[in-house]
């Protein structure tokens, strides 16, 4: 019998004997290295035998898994790993099929250690560049299984973390193996992305407390790098970094769906974090594609709650800031149209109290949430406009003013309403110098160190075409009864910036006329303005005339303005910013008729400026806004004033 067994053993194929010899009697001794070297040499010398070696190893591994001989399972996988690393021949494909079959067997096991073992082998395989293409290999199972592992709910938290991290590494391996191989099933197809992306986001949520720091999390501590959230972020960045122009949509759509399905727009923090990662990771020239998807998603949520819409808008705001260094050019007009459309929708919802005009009351509208949304929309518009070339910003400001609901048509204004377009024309960073003084009268504006350049030809053409619309906007916002301190301060800033950025001699004359018209507005009894508003308009007019008189450097003009301000300080301080634009305004219960030295005199100003070469005929003509032929919601190219 002994002789017969020995004879049969000798008749076994050599590759089987070489495979059997790598396994020790005691699995704890590990792989027999000397015999493993012999097996590797044989595989390299006879590559046609490689597929048989793989099939036999697979057979042994399946038998050992069924018998719970996990030590031998580990040895078999180690041998497979070494053979994969060593062999790059044309017959490698059939061997890989055996290898993947074994990995699948391990991943299907209910033992976490086997799942992790199989994942580690797959990751090693994913990093190998194969010399020969594969026409029939499928990774569908691995995408599904690794995604399941990412959602593991194993009782032991430490083991659960290990399984999830293995799932993340496995998905990273699938992406690396397939993303650049045209012969493989397209990993960017929705059927795959709809599993991969939500699995990554699920694990990213576990690290919500840590803000995404920069384009690359290289500074993370060793402990952080071992967390599922940190590993996920690196994997997510790698996935996005490999995405080409045609794949961006399929990668971003599951993100939008995940945020929808788990109500993650309202909190904003996680949604913003996701899109910061996206914007920093994709190629900069593809930024506009993400912006377009966000705009489309905002449209799709036009009847969602204000908090959801505001969350999407906040994400747009953050994305715009990052995209500024890339390319948003093709989407600029779409951005403004979409955001302004939603601004109008929000105002309509606030007024009607419903998202559905036919079935009133189907959803309860919360006014304060709509207001917050409106302010977020306006901030985002400004952020996008800030990415434009300087010469386009004035046009954008006018475009916005033509789209924003007309003052007087609605009972209230957002707290940042008037002048929210000021980033648009503040090209020399003068705005902070006005917002900090809070309209306090300054006798010598040189202390502000303002930067003023000569008005360009493009700005001259812009003001020639659209100036009257700007003046009308300022005038109408001033007479809104709902206007409060922030509105008047923004109007002052707008007047000041126009004076320094867009003003030629004709514009200066018109701005002075507008300031005097505001004084007349505050004096008018027909408007029925509250006492506070009348005092605020007087204060606004005096603050601006104080500024413009010093900018014109006409001594007699400066003297007249100074005399009126001095008289008001003695007799009527409630007509100046210091007493009006404070927490508790010092204003009278009623406002008596004002006249004489308390008022700025148009005739006096015309006289002193005329002596310095200004157009006296135009100065002597009171400013009166004209509304005939003005298109509501147009581009701001309505009929110009005929006499004013």
């Amino acid at each position: 019998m002994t002789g017969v067994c020995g004879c049969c053993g000798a008749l076994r194929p050599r590759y089987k004997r070489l495979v059997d010899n790598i396994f020790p009697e005691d699995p704890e001794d590990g792989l027999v290295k000397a015999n493993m070297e012999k097996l590797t040499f044989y595989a390299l010398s006879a590559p046609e035998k490689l597929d048989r070696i793989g099939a036999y190893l697979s057979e042994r591994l399946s038998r050992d898994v069924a018998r719970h001989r996990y030590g031998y399972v580990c040895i078999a996988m180690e041998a497979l790993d070494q053979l994969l690393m060593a062999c790059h021949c044309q017959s490698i494909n059939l061997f890989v099929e055996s290898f993947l079959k074994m990995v699948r067997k391990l991943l299907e096991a209910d033992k976490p250690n086997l799942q992790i073992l199989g994942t580690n082998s797959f990751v090693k395989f994913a990093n190998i560049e194969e010399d020969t293409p594969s026409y029939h290999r499928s990774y569908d199972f691995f995408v599904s299984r690794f995604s399941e592992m990412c959602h593991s709910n194993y009782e032991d938290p430490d083991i659960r973390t290990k399984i999830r991290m293995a799932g993340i590494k496995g998905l990273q391996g699938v992406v690396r193996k397939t993303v650049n191989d045209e012969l493989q099933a397209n990993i960017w197809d929705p059927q795959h992305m709809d599993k991969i992306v939500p699995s990554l986001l699920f694990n990213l949520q576990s690290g919500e407390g840590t803000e995404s720091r920069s384009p690359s999390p290289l500074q993370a501590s060793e402990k952080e790098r071992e967390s599922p959230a940190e590993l996920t972020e690196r994997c997510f960045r790698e996935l996005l970094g490999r995405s080409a122009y045609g794949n961006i949509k399929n990668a971003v759509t599951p993100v939008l769906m995940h945020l929808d399905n788990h109500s993650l727009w309202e909190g904003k923090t996680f949604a913003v974090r996701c899109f910061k990662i996206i914007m920093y990771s994709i190629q900069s020239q593809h930024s506009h594609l993400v912006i377009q998807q966000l705009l489309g998603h905002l449209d799709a949520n036009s009847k969602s709650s204000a908090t959801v819409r505001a969350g999407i808008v906040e994400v747009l705001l953050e994305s715009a800031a990052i995209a500024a260094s890339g390319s948003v050019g093709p989407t600029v007009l779409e951005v403004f149209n979409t955001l302004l459309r939603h601004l109008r929708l929000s105002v309509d919802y606030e007024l009607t109290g419903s998202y559905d005009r036919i079935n009133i009351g189907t959803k309860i509208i919360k006014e304060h949430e709509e207001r917050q949304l409106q302010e977020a929309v306006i901030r985002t518009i400004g952020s996008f406009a800030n990415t434009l070339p300087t010469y386009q910003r004035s046009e954008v400001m006018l475009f916005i003013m033509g789209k924003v609901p007309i003052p007087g048509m609605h009972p209230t204004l957002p707290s940042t309403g008037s002048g929210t377009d000021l980033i648009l024309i503040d090209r020399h960073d003068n705005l902070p110098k006005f917002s900090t003084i809070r309209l306090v009268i300054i006798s010598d504006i040189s202390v502000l160190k303002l930067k003023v350049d000569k008005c360009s030809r493009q700005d001259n053409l812009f003001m020639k075409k659209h100036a009257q619309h700007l003046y009308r906007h300022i005038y109408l916002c001033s007479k809104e009864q709902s206007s409060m301190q922030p509105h008047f301060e923004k109007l002052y800033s707008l007047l000041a910036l126009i004076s320094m950025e867009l003003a030629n001699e004709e514009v200066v004359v018109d701005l002075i006329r507008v300031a005097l018209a505001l004084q007349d507005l505050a004096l008018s009894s027909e408007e029925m303005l509250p006492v506070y508003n009348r005092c605020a308009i007087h204060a606004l007019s005096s603050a601006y005339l104080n500024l413009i008189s010093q900018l014109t450097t006409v001594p007699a003009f400066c003297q007249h303005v100074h005399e009126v301000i001095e008289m008001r300080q003695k007799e009527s301080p409630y007509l100046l910013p210091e007493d009006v634009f404070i927490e508790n305004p010092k204003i009278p219960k009623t406002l008596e008729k004002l006249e004489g030295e308390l008022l700025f005199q148009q005739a006096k100003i015309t006289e002193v400026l005329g002596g310095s070469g200004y157009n006296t005929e135009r100065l002597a003509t009171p400013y009166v806004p004209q509304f005939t032929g003005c298109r509501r919601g147009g581009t701001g190219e309505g009929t110009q004033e005929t006499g004013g």
Side-chain angles (χ1 to χ4, degrees):
M1 289 295 292
T2 304
V4 172
C5 290
C7 180
C8 292
L11 291 174
R12 286 170 61 80
R14 186 182 178 193
Y15 75 88
K16 285 190 175 182
R17 284 184 280 122
L18 289 171
V19 169
D20 290 338
N21 290 340
I22 69 173
F23 292 91
E25 291 187 9
D26 185 352
E28 291 186 3
D29 292 340
L31 181 71
V32 180
K33 294 182 179 179
N35 291 338
M36 185 64 216
E37 291 176 1
K38 293 178 182 178
L39 176 61
T40 303
F41 180 78
Y42 176 78
L44 291 171
S45 303
E48 69 278 2
K49 301 290 186 180
L50 191 58
D51 61 322
R52 298 183 185 182
I53 293 172
Y56 184 55
L57 274 170
S58 176
E59 178 186 327
R60 285 203 54 148
L61 182 138
S62 298
R63 185 171 65 245
D64 289 334
V65 169
R67 295 176 180 177
H68 307 292
R69 300 170 64 180
Y70 300 129
Y72 287 122
V73 170
C74 293
I75 291 172
M77 291 309 300
E78 184 179 353
L80 283 165
D81 292 344
Q82 290 193 26
L83 286 171
L84 273 175
M85 296 295 291
C87 302
H88 293 271
C89 57
Q90 290 185 347
S91 57
I92 190 72
N93 279 325
L94 292 177
F95 177 76
V96 169
E97 291 303 318
S98 298
F99 168 79
L100 292 178
K101 181 180 177 181
M102 286 182 275
V103 171
R104 178 169 182 163
K105 188 78 174 178
L106 295 179
L107 293 176
E108 288 175 335
D110 57 0
K111 298 291 184 181
N113 288 344
L114 294 185
Q115 296 173 15
I116 294 170
L117 176 65
T119 302
N120 291 340
S121 288
F122 182 86
V123 171
K124 292 175 184 176
F125 160 70
N127 290 325
I128 296 174
E129 292 187 11
E130 298 179 60
D131 295 338
T132 56
S134 171
Y135 294 89
H136 59 282
R137 199 180 298 162
S138 172
Y139 293 96
D140 291 6
F141 164 79
F142 295 100
V143 171
S144 298
R145 186 64 185 122
F146 289 137
S147 297
E148 289 175 14
M149 291 170 65
C150 287
H151 291 85
S152 172
N153 286 320
Y154 201 87
E155 292 182 3
D156 187 307
D158 290 336
I159 296 178
R160 179 171 66 238
T161 297
K162 290 179 180 178
I163 295 174
R164 288 185 179 181
M165 292 183 71
I168 297 165
K169 292 176 182 177
L171 290 178
Q172 189 176 35
V174 172
V175 171
R176 287 178 178 176
K177 198 64 181 174
T178 61
V179 72
N180 293 322
D181 191 344
E182 296 179 357
L183 298 175
Q184 302 298 341
N186 191 351
I187 197 67
W188 300 105
D189 285 347
Q191 61 175 331
H192 300 309
M193 284 292 106
D194 289 348
K195 295 175 183 176
I196 293 173
V197 174
S199 300
L200 296 178
L201 296 181
F202 173 77
N203 284 278
L204 192 62
Q205 282 178 255
S206 65
E208 269 192 78
T210 58
E211 177 71 13
S212 182
R213 294 167 298 281
S214 67
S216 179
L218 298 177
Q219 296 79 20
S221 67
E222 197 66 35
K223 186 175 181 180
E224 281 180 316
R225 278 200 289 270
E226 291 302 314
S227 72
E230 197 66 26
L231 176 63
T232 297
E233 183 170 336
R234 294 203 304 275
C235 181
F236 194 28
R237 287 179 184 276
E238 181 177 340
L239 172 69
L240 295 163
R242 292 173 178 267
S243 60
Y245 181 89
N247 304 325
I248 296 291
K249 183 178 180 181
N250 288 351
V252 174
T253 297
V255 178
L256 299 172
M257 295 302 102
H258 183 85
L259 297 174
D260 283 347
N261 296 336
H262 297 277
S263 302
L264 294 171
W265 292 111
E266 289 91 333
K268 299 178 187 175
T269 305
F270 181 69
V272 168
R273 184 183 182 198
C274 287
F275 276 87
K276 278 187 175 180
I277 293 173
I278 292 171
M279 298 303 290
Y280 280 129
S281 302
I282 62 173
Q283 298 177 50
S284 59
Q285 66 267 30
H286 299 160
S287 296
H288 67 280
L289 297 175
V290 180
I291 302 299
Q292 284 177 326
Q293 279 190 264
L294 283 168
L295 292 172
H297 202 65
L298 182 60
D299 281 339
N301 282 273
S302 61
K303 293 187 178 180
S304 298
S305 67
T307 53
V308 170
R309 285 176 282 137
I312 299 173
V313 171
E314 288 287 349
V315 170
L316 266 168
L317 176 62
E318 295 289 343
S319 301
I322 299 170
S325 60
S327 169
V328 293
T331 59
V332 167
L333 187 57
E334 183 183 356
V335 167
F336 293 130
N337 273 321
T338 300
L339 291 175
L340 290 167
R341 182 168 64 252
H342 283 274
L343 180 59
R344 281 185 172 278
L345 273 177
S346 178
V347 173
D348 287 343
Y349 292 157
E350 184 183 346
L351 290 173
T352 61
S354 173
Y355 296 119
D356 191 339
R357 293 186 177 183
I358 299 176
N359 302 310
I360 300 295
T362 53
K363 290 185 180 179
I364 299 175
I365 299 293
K366 296 181 180 179
E367 290 188 6
H368 72 281
E369 291 181 355
E370 292 295 340
R371 296 285 183 82
Q372 291 172 356
L373 168 64
Q374 292 160 24
E375 294 184 9
V377 169
I378 293 172
R379 287 197 305 272
T380 305
I381 289 172
S383 181
F384 270 98
N386 204 32
T387 68
L388 300 178
T390 299
Y391 68 87
Q392 289 184 353
R393 295 183 187 178
S394 300
E395 292 284 351
V396 170
M397 180 179 66
L398 196 68
F399 175 74
I400 293 170
M401 286 166 49
K403 293 284 188 180
V404 170
I406 295 176
M409 296 298 293
H410 304 292
T412 55
L413 290 170
S415 62
T416 59
S418 305
T420 47
D421 322 308
L422 299 178
I423 68 167
L424 297 182
I425 57 175
D426 183 24
R427 302 163 191 169
H428 297 91
D429 200 25
N430 285 317
L431 183 57
K433 300 169 185 177
F434 295 112
S435 58
T436 54
I437 63 173
R438 303 185 68 82
L439 301 187
V440 174
I441 299 293
I442 290 183
S443 57
D444 183 2
I445 63 170
S446 64
V447 299
L448 298 178
K449 297 181 180 179
L450 301 173
K451 298 177 182 177
V452 184
D453 282 345
K454 185 178 179 181
C455 191
S456 68
R457 178 177 176 274
Q458 290 170 329
D459 288 336
N460 280 331
L461 292 173
F462 170 80
M463 291 303 286
K464 188 175 184 64
K465 185 177 181 181
H466 301 303
Q468 299 304 327
H469 186 85
L470 274 171
Y471 305 150
R472 183 165 53 245
H473 174 80
I474 294 168
Y475 185 87
L476 292 177
C477 285
S478 298
K479 66 186 292 187
E480 275 292 298
Q481 294 198 16
S482 60
S483 292
M484 300 302 291
Q485 178 180 335
H487 296 99
F488 291 109
E489 292 183 341
K490 293 283 172 44
L491 286 172
Y492 172 73
S493 297
L494 179 56
L495 284 165
L497 289 176
I498 293 173
S499 303
M500 290 181 292
E501 299 286 355
L502 305 173
N504 52 35
E505 184 177 305
E506 183 177 336
V507 171
V508 169
V509 168
D510 280 343
L511 288 170
I512 293 170
R513 292 169 63 226
V514 170
L516 293 172
L518 291 178
Q519 177 178 260
D520 293 340
L521 173 64
L523 293 172
S524 173
S525 58
E526 297 178 3
E527 296 292 343
M528 302 295 291
L529 290 173
V531 173
Y532 173 81
N533 294 61
R534 294 172 65 188
C535 291
I537 294 172
H538 276 298
L540 170 64
S541 179
S542 61
Y544 177 66
L545 286 172
N546 174 66
L547 173 70
I548 194 66
S549 65
Q550 296 187 58
L551 287 176
T552 59
T553 65
V554 178
F557 184 20
C558 294
Q559 182 179 352
H560 172 66
V561 172
H562 178 72
E563 288 172 353
V564 175
I565 290 174
E566 195 175 56
M567 184 60 66
R568 290 185 177 186
Q569 289 171 338
K570 292 178 182 178
E571 299 186 10
S572 306
Y574 48 81
L575 302 179
L576 296 173
E578 292 90 330
D579 277 27
V580 178
F581 300 124
I582 56 178
E583 187 173 348
N584 297 307
K586 301 175 183 177
I587 58 175
K589 293 182 179 180
T590 60
L591 196 60
E592 301 296 332
K593 185 177 181 180
L594 301 173
E595 56 186 15
E597 296 178 341
L598 290 174
L599 300 177
F600 301 100
Q601 304 296 328
Q602 184 149 358
K604 178 68 173 175
I605 294 173
T606 300
E607 178 186 345
V608 297
L609 288 179
S612 296
Y614 286 84
N615 187 327
T616 55
E617 182 179 352
R618 194 165 182 82
L619 275 166
T621 306
Y623 170 80
V624 179
Q626 302 292 318
F627 305 98
T628 305
C630 189
R631 297 197 305 268
R632 183 186 180 194
T635 60
E637 299 179 24
T639 300
Q640 306 288 333
E641 280 80 344
T642 54

